Amino acid sequence: MHMAASLPALTVSAVGVWAVLTNLVLGARAARCDGASALPRFVVAADALVIALLVFLGVVAPVVGYGMLCVVLVAGLLFDLMREERARRRRVASLAPRPAAEAVPAVWVAIAVASVLMLVPYVMLKEQRAGAVMVGICALVMAGIAWRIASAPVQLRGDDVQSERLRDRASRSLRAGMSAVLAIGSIFVFLSFVNASLPTVPPLQRMLPLVSFVTWAALWAWVMLYWRRLNRLTCAAS
Protein backbone atom coordinates (compact mmCIF):
# COMPACT_ATOMS: atom_id res chain seq x y z
CA MET A 1 0.00 0.00 0.00
CA HIS A 2 2.82 2.39 0.80
CA MET A 3 4.39 1.88 -2.63
CA ALA A 4 0.99 2.33 -4.31
CA ALA A 5 0.47 5.56 -2.39
CA SER A 6 3.94 6.90 -3.20
CA LEU A 7 3.71 6.24 -6.93
CA PRO A 8 1.10 8.98 -7.56
CA ALA A 9 3.18 11.44 -5.52
CA LEU A 10 6.26 10.65 -7.59
CA THR A 11 4.25 10.98 -10.79
CA VAL A 12 2.88 14.40 -9.84
CA SER A 13 6.31 15.54 -8.68
CA ALA A 14 7.80 14.46 -12.02
CA VAL A 15 5.13 16.40 -13.91
CA GLY A 16 5.91 19.40 -11.71
CA VAL A 17 9.64 19.19 -12.47
CA TRP A 18 8.84 18.97 -16.19
CA ALA A 19 6.69 22.12 -15.88
CA VAL A 20 9.51 23.90 -14.03
CA LEU A 21 12.14 23.07 -16.65
CA THR A 22 9.84 23.85 -19.59
CA ASN A 23 8.84 27.25 -18.27
CA LEU A 24 12.38 28.16 -17.27
CA VAL A 25 13.54 27.48 -20.83
CA LEU A 26 10.62 29.43 -22.33
CA GLY A 27 11.17 32.25 -19.87
CA ALA A 28 14.89 32.45 -20.67
CA ARG A 29 14.11 32.66 -24.39
CA ALA A 30 11.48 35.35 -23.85
CA ALA A 31 13.86 37.35 -21.64
CA ARG A 32 16.16 37.91 -24.62
CA CYS A 33 13.46 39.96 -26.35
CA ASP A 34 11.10 41.21 -23.65
CA GLY A 35 11.64 40.87 -19.91
CA ALA A 36 7.99 41.61 -19.14
CA SER A 37 6.79 38.63 -21.18
CA ALA A 38 9.32 36.35 -19.46
CA LEU A 39 8.16 37.13 -15.91
CA PRO A 40 4.90 35.10 -16.07
CA ARG A 41 6.89 32.08 -17.25
CA PHE A 42 9.19 32.32 -14.25
CA VAL A 43 6.15 32.68 -11.97
CA VAL A 44 4.62 29.51 -13.44
CA ALA A 45 7.94 27.68 -12.94
CA ALA A 46 8.15 28.83 -9.30
CA ASP A 47 4.54 27.77 -8.61
CA ALA A 48 5.11 24.37 -10.21
CA LEU A 49 8.25 23.85 -8.11
CA VAL A 50 6.40 24.64 -4.88
CA ILE A 51 3.55 22.27 -5.78
CA ALA A 52 5.97 19.49 -6.72
CA LEU A 53 7.80 19.84 -3.40
CA LEU A 54 4.58 19.91 -1.37
CA VAL A 55 3.34 16.74 -3.07
CA PHE A 56 6.71 14.98 -2.76
CA LEU A 57 6.89 15.80 0.96
CA GLY A 58 3.33 14.61 1.53
CA VAL A 59 1.97 18.02 2.55
CA VAL A 60 -0.53 18.03 -0.34
CA ALA A 61 -2.38 14.96 -1.63
CA PRO A 62 -1.21 13.91 -5.12
CA VAL A 63 -4.68 14.21 -6.64
CA VAL A 64 -5.06 17.79 -5.35
CA GLY A 65 -1.48 18.67 -6.30
CA TYR A 66 -2.04 17.45 -9.84
CA GLY A 67 -5.16 19.59 -10.12
CA MET A 68 -3.15 22.58 -8.91
CA LEU A 69 -0.44 21.86 -11.50
CA CYS A 70 -3.07 21.77 -14.24
CA VAL A 71 -4.33 25.18 -13.10
CA VAL A 72 -0.78 26.58 -13.21
CA LEU A 73 -0.13 25.15 -16.69
CA VAL A 74 -3.42 26.52 -17.99
CA ALA A 75 -2.41 29.92 -16.62
CA GLY A 76 0.70 29.71 -18.81
CA LEU A 77 -1.41 28.84 -21.86
CA LEU A 78 -3.76 31.72 -21.16
CA PHE A 79 -0.78 34.07 -20.94
CA ASP A 80 0.40 32.91 -24.37
CA LEU A 81 -3.08 33.41 -25.78
CA MET A 82 -3.39 36.93 -24.36
CA ARG A 83 0.05 37.84 -25.73
CA GLU A 84 -1.01 36.58 -29.15
CA GLU A 85 -4.25 38.55 -28.95
CA ARG A 86 -2.28 41.74 -28.29
CA ALA A 87 0.09 41.00 -31.17
CA ARG A 88 -2.84 40.27 -33.48
CA ARG A 89 -4.10 43.84 -33.14
CA ARG A 90 -0.86 45.09 -34.70
CA ARG A 91 -1.14 42.88 -37.79
CA VAL A 92 -3.25 42.97 -40.93
CA ALA A 93 -6.29 40.74 -41.02
CA SER A 94 -7.33 39.01 -44.21
CA LEU A 95 -10.60 40.31 -45.62
CA ALA A 96 -11.41 37.01 -47.32
CA PRO A 97 -14.37 35.21 -45.70
CA ARG A 98 -13.61 32.02 -43.80
CA PRO A 99 -15.59 29.70 -41.50
CA ALA A 100 -15.41 30.17 -37.72
CA ALA A 101 -12.97 27.25 -37.64
CA GLU A 102 -11.92 24.51 -40.02
CA ALA A 103 -13.68 21.18 -39.67
CA VAL A 104 -10.65 19.15 -38.57
CA PRO A 105 -9.50 21.40 -35.69
CA ALA A 106 -13.15 21.71 -34.62
CA VAL A 107 -13.32 17.90 -34.35
CA TRP A 108 -10.15 17.93 -32.23
CA VAL A 109 -11.75 20.41 -29.84
CA ALA A 110 -14.92 18.31 -29.66
CA ILE A 111 -12.87 15.19 -28.81
CA ALA A 112 -11.06 17.08 -26.04
CA VAL A 113 -14.36 18.30 -24.58
CA ALA A 114 -15.90 14.82 -24.75
CA SER A 115 -12.86 13.34 -22.98
CA VAL A 116 -13.78 15.29 -19.85
CA LEU A 117 -16.68 12.86 -19.41
CA MET A 118 -14.13 10.20 -18.39
CA LEU A 119 -13.64 12.15 -15.15
CA VAL A 120 -17.29 11.74 -14.08
CA PRO A 121 -16.78 8.48 -12.09
CA TYR A 122 -13.95 10.17 -10.14
CA VAL A 123 -16.07 13.21 -9.35
CA MET A 124 -18.38 10.78 -7.55
CA LEU A 125 -15.54 9.72 -5.22
CA LYS A 126 -15.24 12.06 -2.27
CA GLU A 127 -11.45 11.83 -1.92
CA GLN A 128 -10.85 12.37 -5.65
CA ARG A 129 -13.59 14.95 -6.29
CA ALA A 130 -11.54 18.13 -5.85
CA GLY A 131 -8.74 16.96 -8.13
CA ALA A 132 -11.13 15.58 -10.74
CA VAL A 133 -13.09 18.85 -10.85
CA MET A 134 -9.91 20.94 -11.19
CA VAL A 135 -8.53 18.71 -13.95
CA GLY A 136 -11.88 18.75 -15.75
CA ILE A 137 -12.13 22.54 -15.62
CA CYS A 138 -8.54 22.89 -16.83
CA ALA A 139 -9.15 20.47 -19.70
CA LEU A 140 -12.21 22.47 -20.75
CA VAL A 141 -10.20 25.69 -20.61
CA MET A 142 -7.50 24.07 -22.78
CA ALA A 143 -10.19 23.02 -25.24
CA GLY A 144 -11.50 26.60 -25.21
CA ILE A 145 -8.00 27.89 -25.94
CA ALA A 146 -7.72 25.41 -28.81
CA TRP A 147 -11.02 26.70 -30.21
CA ARG A 148 -9.92 30.32 -29.93
CA ILE A 149 -6.69 29.53 -31.76
CA ALA A 150 -8.54 27.62 -34.48
CA SER A 151 -11.21 30.30 -34.98
CA ALA A 152 -9.08 33.47 -34.69
CA PRO A 153 -8.93 35.79 -37.74
CA VAL A 154 -6.24 35.10 -40.33
CA GLN A 155 -3.21 37.32 -39.79
CA LEU A 156 -0.89 38.41 -42.60
CA ARG A 157 2.68 39.70 -42.31
CA GLY A 158 3.86 39.88 -45.95
CA ASP A 159 2.71 40.49 -49.51
CA ASP A 160 2.28 36.86 -50.62
CA VAL A 161 -1.33 36.41 -49.48
CA GLN A 162 -1.72 32.78 -50.61
CA SER A 163 1.48 31.62 -48.95
CA GLU A 164 0.72 33.59 -45.79
CA ARG A 165 -2.75 32.08 -45.52
CA LEU A 166 -1.38 28.55 -45.84
CA ARG A 167 1.37 29.24 -43.30
CA ASP A 168 -1.16 30.73 -40.88
CA ARG A 169 -3.42 27.72 -41.36
CA ALA A 170 -0.59 25.27 -40.62
CA SER A 171 0.58 27.16 -37.53
CA ARG A 172 -2.97 27.58 -36.24
CA SER A 173 -3.78 23.90 -36.72
CA LEU A 174 -0.65 22.77 -34.89
CA ARG A 175 -1.19 25.03 -31.90
CA ALA A 176 -4.91 24.24 -31.64
CA GLY A 177 -4.25 20.53 -32.02
CA MET A 178 -1.51 20.44 -29.39
CA SER A 179 -3.76 22.30 -26.95
CA ALA A 180 -6.40 19.60 -27.44
CA VAL A 181 -3.76 16.89 -27.07
CA LEU A 182 -2.54 18.47 -23.83
CA ALA A 183 -6.10 18.54 -22.48
CA ILE A 184 -6.56 14.82 -23.09
CA GLY A 185 -3.06 14.05 -21.81
CA SER A 186 -3.81 15.77 -18.50
CA ILE A 187 -6.88 13.55 -18.12
CA PHE A 188 -4.92 10.40 -18.94
CA VAL A 189 -2.24 11.13 -16.33
CA PHE A 190 -4.89 11.90 -13.72
CA LEU A 191 -6.79 8.67 -14.35
CA SER A 192 -3.60 6.60 -14.29
CA PHE A 193 -2.20 7.74 -10.97
CA VAL A 194 -5.60 7.88 -9.24
CA ASN A 195 -6.29 4.27 -10.20
CA ALA A 196 -2.86 3.33 -8.83
CA SER A 197 -3.79 4.84 -5.45
CA LEU A 198 -7.22 3.21 -5.11
CA PRO A 199 -7.50 -0.06 -3.13
CA THR A 200 -10.03 -1.46 -5.62
CA VAL A 201 -10.80 -0.25 -9.13
CA PRO A 202 -14.16 -1.06 -10.81
CA PRO A 203 -13.96 -2.50 -14.35
CA LEU A 204 -15.18 0.74 -15.96
CA GLN A 205 -12.56 2.86 -14.22
CA ARG A 206 -9.91 0.28 -15.03
CA MET A 207 -10.64 0.74 -18.74
CA LEU A 208 -10.69 4.55 -18.73
CA PRO A 209 -6.88 5.10 -18.62
CA LEU A 210 -6.50 2.86 -21.67
CA VAL A 211 -9.30 4.66 -23.50
CA SER A 212 -7.80 8.05 -22.67
CA PHE A 213 -4.31 6.93 -23.71
CA VAL A 214 -5.54 5.58 -27.06
CA THR A 215 -7.50 8.81 -27.63
CA TRP A 216 -4.46 10.92 -26.73
CA ALA A 217 -2.07 8.93 -28.96
CA ALA A 218 -4.49 8.83 -31.92
CA LEU A 219 -5.21 12.55 -31.68
CA TRP A 220 -1.51 13.40 -31.40
CA ALA A 221 -0.74 11.32 -34.51
CA TRP A 222 -3.66 12.93 -36.38
CA VAL A 223 -2.50 16.43 -35.47
CA MET A 224 1.06 15.77 -36.60
CA LEU A 225 0.02 14.14 -39.89
CA TYR A 226 -2.42 16.96 -40.64
CA TRP A 227 0.21 19.58 -39.83
CA ARG A 228 2.79 17.87 -42.08
CA ARG A 229 0.24 17.81 -44.91
CA LEU A 230 -0.41 21.54 -44.52
CA ASN A 231 3.33 22.19 -44.43
CA ARG A 232 3.76 20.38 -47.74
CA LEU A 233 1.00 22.50 -49.28
CA THR A 234 2.71 25.62 -47.96
CA CYS A 235 6.05 24.61 -49.47
CA ALA A 236 4.40 23.79 -52.78
CA ALA A 237 2.74 27.22 -52.89
CA SER A 238 5.97 29.11 -52.05
Side-chain angles (χ1 to χ4, degrees), residues 148-200:
R148 175 54 187 168
I149 293 172
S151 60
V154 175
Q155 302 298 311
L156 306 177
R157 297 182 178 88
D159 298 326
D160 189 346
V161 176
Q162 180 64 19
S163 178
E164 287 289 330
R165 284 177 63 87
L166 290 173
R167 189 175 295 109
D168 178 85
R169 181 185 176 193
S171 173
R172 186 194 310 276
S173 297
L174 178 62
R175 289 183 291 118
M178 293 311 295
S179 296
V181 168
L182 181 59
I184 299 173
S186 66
I187 295 173
F188 161 67
V189 174
F190 176 84
L191 299 180
S192 298
F193 78 70
V194 168
N195 279 6
S197 66
L198 294 175
T200 58

Side-chain angles (χ1 to χ4, degrees), residues 129-151:
R129 184 172 301 155
V133 169
M134 282 192 287
V135 172
I137 292 174
C138 290
L140 290 175
V141 172
M142 292 180 197
I145 291 173
W147 174 257
R148 175 54 187 168
I149 293 172
S151 60

Side-chain angles (χ1 to χ4, degrees), residues 63 66-71 74 112-120 122-123 128-144 182-188 190-191:
V63 63
Y66 184 72
M68 294 168 63
L69 273 176
C70 287
V71 172
V74 165
V113 172
S115 296
V116 177
L117 294 176
M118 289 187 280
L119 294 169
V120 171
Y122 299 87
V123 175
Q128 317 299 335
R129 184 172 301 155
V133 169
M134 282 192 287
V135 172
I137 292 174
C138 290
L140 290 175
V141 172
M142 292 180 197
L182 181 59
I184 299 173
S186 66
I187 295 173
F188 161 67
F190 176 84
L191 299 180

